[in-house]
């Protein structure tokens, strides 16, 4: 069993609070993490594993200062979880560097509208990639790129769960 903790700092988001879109995006991040691990471990048969042997469970949700979701996955190894976490962090850091470079451009945009559009765009990308992975399979690194970007946009971190040692 592998656990992963998604920590999202909702106070530092553009709105300063948790929105319903944030809830869905955070849930999709955990789902994509699971799919990336299955793809890493099982390659093309990951879609079959996902559909026939789904073993993900949300163990706990906490909303205080941060929004934390603890997910538990029975049929993925620590090795694949560590690989996905390290790659997601790499792409998260790339997104941060790009955001710093584009800071002037972002200031000129109407913030609230662009934030909602970006969140909805992330949901569309995530759902499309999930459908693609289930139907045809996908490169786990493609999933990691999307996870990294979504983590950056959500001001979130994906960490090994407390039982992973």
């Amino acid at each position: 069993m592998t656990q992963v903790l998604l920590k999202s700092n909702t106070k530092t988001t553009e709105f300063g609070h948790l929105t319903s879109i944030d809830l869905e995006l955070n849930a999709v991040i955990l789902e994509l993490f699971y799919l990336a691990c299955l793809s890493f471990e099982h390659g093309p048969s990951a879609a079959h594993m996902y559909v026939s042997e789904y073993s993900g469970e949300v163990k706990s949700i906490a909303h205080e200062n941060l929004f934390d979701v603890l997910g538990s996955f029975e049929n993925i190894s620590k090795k694949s979880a560590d690989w996905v976490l390290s790659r997601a962090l790499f792409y998260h850091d790339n997104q941060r560097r790009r955001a710093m470079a584009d800071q002037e451009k972002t200031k000129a945009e109407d913030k609230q509208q662009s934030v909602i559009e970006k969140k909805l765009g992330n949901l569309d990308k995530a759902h499309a990639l999930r459908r693609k992975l289930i139907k045809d399979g996908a490169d786990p690194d493609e999933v990691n790129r999307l996870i990294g970007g979504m983590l950056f946009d959500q001001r979130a971190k994906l960490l090994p769960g407390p039982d992973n040692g």
Side-chain angles (χ1 to χ4, degrees):
M1 174 179 66
T2 298
Q3 290 188 334
V4 66
L5 180 63
L6 177 67
K7 295 182 88 53
S8 184
N9 190 343
T10 56
K11 294 205 184 241
T12 63
T13 64
E14 294 84 357
F15 297 115
H17 61 273
L18 184 66
T19 68
S20 58
I21 296 172
D22 294 323
L23 291 173
E24 186 175 359
L25 281 167
N26 288 346
V28 170
I29 289 170
L30 286 178
E31 192 72 11
L32 290 175
F33 166 82
Y34 179 55
L35 287 166
C37 288
L38 288 176
S39 291
F40 178 76
E41 286 189 23
H42 302 287
S45 64
H48 173 72
M49 292 283 299
Y50 178 80
V51 173
S52 65
E53 299 179 33
Y54 188 91
S55 73
E57 178 183 355
V58 173
K59 290 286 191 182
S60 67
I61 299 173
H63 182 252
E64 294 164 3
N65 230 357
L66 298 172
F67 180 70
D68 295 345
V69 182
L70 179 64
S72 178
F73 304 97
E74 293 293 327
N75 59 352
I76 59 174
S77 70
K78 183 174 177 354
K79 178 182 176 185
S80 66
D82 289 345
W83 182 82
V84 170
L85 289 171
S86 69
R87 297 302 294 161
L89 178 62
F90 170 77
Y91 288 117
H92 174 273
D93 290 344
N94 278 352
Q95 286 286 339
R96 186 178 340 160
R97 283 191 284 280
R98 270 191 233 120
M100 287 178 185
D102 292 343
Q103 204 167 27
E104 291 302 315
K105 180 181 166 188
T106 303
K107 286 180 184 177
E109 294 177 359
D110 178 25
K111 280 192 173 189
Q112 185 163 342
Q113 183 177 357
S114 68
V115 167
I116 294 294
E117 287 173 359
K118 183 181 249 182
K119 287 179 182 286
L120 291 172
N122 279 341
L123 281 173
D124 288 343
K125 288 179 203 172
H127 290 306
L129 186 57
R130 181 170 53 185
R131 279 190 303 274
K132 177 185 174 201
L133 197 143
I134 292 168
K135 184 179 177 198
D136 303 321
D139 174 27
D141 221 33
E142 179 182 2
V143 181
N144 287 332
R145 278 191 293 278
L146 183 57
I147 292 170
M150 291 174 70
L151 288 171
F152 177 78
D153 291 342
Q154 289 297 102
R155 290 357 177 240
K157 294 179 184 174
L158 202 54
L159 308 165
D163 291 344
N164 290 359

